[in-house]
Amino acid sequence: PLPEIHFATNNFDPKLLIGKGGFGNVYRGTLRDGTKVAVKRSELGLGQGFLEFQTEITILSKIRHCHLVSLIGYCAEQSEMILVFEFMEKGSLRDHLYNSDFPYLPWKQRLEICIGAAQGLDYLHRGAAGGIIHRDIKSTNILLDENYVAKVADFGLSKSGPLDQSQTHVTTGVKGTFGYLDPEYFKTLQLTKKSDVYSFGVVLLEVLCARPAIDPSLPREEANLADWGIMCIQKGTIEQIVDPVLAGEINANSLRKYGEVAEKCLQEEDEERPSMGDVLWDLEYALQLQQ
Ligand code: ADP
């Protein structure tokens, strides 16, 4: 069973704050046995949803995969909620793409990170848990451990209500982030596994051109990365969007294959998008072409 971890909850040291997210503040912490952890703390509390929350985290704690950030414990009360995750030493993919305080990632390593994240997501979609839709894939939610192994974070905890294993799509409580959100959602108001594939396609573009999914400072046709990226790929001018620092090291065949994968993921119609398993195969091929 998932350990219930007890904290002196009124006693979080601001020096240990790593960041702020949708759920609440995230702190660095250490368990008694020395294990480093990330502690997510929300002061919103659970109110009536206490039992559902417990069921949900029990399911989540059983999901173990080398490319998914593990939930290792929790503490829940009516007025406070704390989730304890394995600590991801190197921060997020987003940090490495846009923040110059973080080391530059070479192309081969970027491909390996995308492949790792694709493996994690493929497992979630097909896994023993019966198929879970992430609903908020973005570069902030792809974290890196001390060896730069990518792990997908923030899955499963729906923002409005319990995770229902029998559901193949989620109709309530959209979690997605603007710029990554499946265009089909606006027609159907449903998120599916193929919505995750779309969001992953946006991440693939971010990895290639090191600019955010939405950049309002750019001209209208370039402001939305998905639209701009797909236009360049279709015109055969993918080279135009590649980050200039990366351009020198990417093999042309690897780039072409990678562009094809991103294009398939970003199809308007969700049936035309590949499964995460197919995306994984294609990315592995793009890596082979680079070697
Ligand atoms: P969001 O809700 O926006 O996805 P999170 O609450 O997941 O954000 O995370 C906020 C910040 O905490 C991020 O900058 C992320 O890098 C960091 N963080 C989250 N989880 C971990 C973890 N397991 N290990 C290390 N850092 C983490």
Side-chain angles (χ1 to χ4, degrees):
L2 188 66
E4 188 165 344
I5 296 175
H6 293 278
F7 286 91
T9 52
N10 52 357
N11 204 357
F12 276 93
D13 184 345
K15 285 203 285 290
L16 298 177
L17 186 70
I18 317 173
K20 289 175 201 277
F23 180 86
N25 287 349
V26 185
Y27 296 85
R28 204 171 329 124
T30 315
L31 298 185
R32 248 178 233 145
D33 67 0
T35 313
K36 282 192 197 169
V37 291
V39 183
K40 284 194 181 188
R41 178 188 187 214
S42 167
E43 285 176 58
L44 285 176
L46 285 164
Q48 301 300 317
F50 189 74
L51 272 178
E52 286 92 339
F53 175 80
Q54 262 185 330
T55 316
E56 191 164 342
I57 54 177
T58 307
I59 297 168
L60 289 182
S61 65
K62 289 190 185 125
I63 304 174
R64 296 276 151 160
H65 187 271
C66 56
H67 292 292
L68 296 175
V69 176
S70 302
L71 176 64
I72 53 180
Y74 77 101
C75 174
E77 283 159 21
Q78 299 297 326
S79 61
E80 180 126 43
M81 223 181 335
I82 286 169
L83 298 173
V84 182
F85 293 92
E86 66 174 308
F87 186 68
M88 300 295 284
E89 192 81 43
K90 302 289 186 197
S92 74
L93 173 61
R94 187 186 176 88
D95 293 332
H96 287 78
L97 294 178
Y98 313 125
N99 184 340
S100 54
D101 293 339
F102 286 77
Y104 167 80
L105 298 174
W107 178 239
K108 213 173 135 237
Q109 197 171 17
R110 292 186 193 211
L111 273 176
E112 282 161 356
I113 288 169
C114 293
I115 288 171
Q119 282 174 328
L121 199 47
D122 179 47
Y123 178 83
L124 266 191
H125 285 181
R126 292 186 306 113
I132 286 178
I133 302 163
H134 186 292
R135 300 195 290 152
D136 201 11
I137 288 293
K138 52 183 173 178
S139 49
T140 330
N141 279 335
I142 298 176
L143 302 183
L144 304 169
D145 77 2
E146 67 277 18
N147 300 313
Y148 284 94
V149 172
K151 301 195 186 205
V152 176
D154 230 7
F155 54 89
L157 281 169
S158 49
K159 288 216 164 129
S160 71
L163 185 86
D164 178 351
Q165 279 183 272
S166 65
Q167 267 179 238
T168 52
H169 57 250
V170 177
T171 49
T172 53
V174 176
K175 217 180 148 190
T177 301
F178 202 58
Y180 297 87
L181 197 54
D182 177 1
E184 287 261 307
Y185 172 77
F186 300 102
K187 289 189 243 157
T188 60
L189 297 182
Q190 286 179 351
L191 289 175
T192 65
K193 289 175 189 169
K194 295 296 176 77
S195 310
D196 285 349
V197 174
Y198 182 91
S199 309
F200 190 76
V202 179
V203 173
L204 291 179
L205 291 180
E206 290 185 280
V207 164
L208 192 62
C209 61
R211 48 149 289 194
I214 295 281
D215 186 346
S217 69
L218 290 172
R220 233 167 78 112
E221 64 278 12
E222 288 179 24
N224 184 332
L225 178 58
D227 294 345
W228 183 54
I230 209 121
M231 198 179 74
C232 291
I233 294 169
Q234 284 169 349
K235 280 199 306 196
T237 57
I238 187 172
E239 290 80 8
Q240 255 182 25
I241 69 170
V242 181
D243 179 56
V245 191
L246 269 187
E249 40 161 330
I250 303 187
N251 167 302
N253 290 329
S254 177
L255 177 59
R256 196 172 323 116
K257 187 75 207 165
Y258 186 90
E260 271 172 36
V261 189
E263 185 187 3
K264 284 191 229 164
C265 291
L266 293 169
Q267 290 301 304
E268 284 273 320
E269 307 280 327
D270 62 0
E271 311 96 74
E272 290 179 16
R273 294 176 211 146
S275 68
M276 275 322 289
D278 293 337
V279 171
L280 185 54
W281 273 98
D282 282 349
L283 287 176
E284 276 168 351
Y285 190 43
L287 177 62
Q288 273 176 30
L289 291 170
Q290 181 67 25
Q291 275 158 347

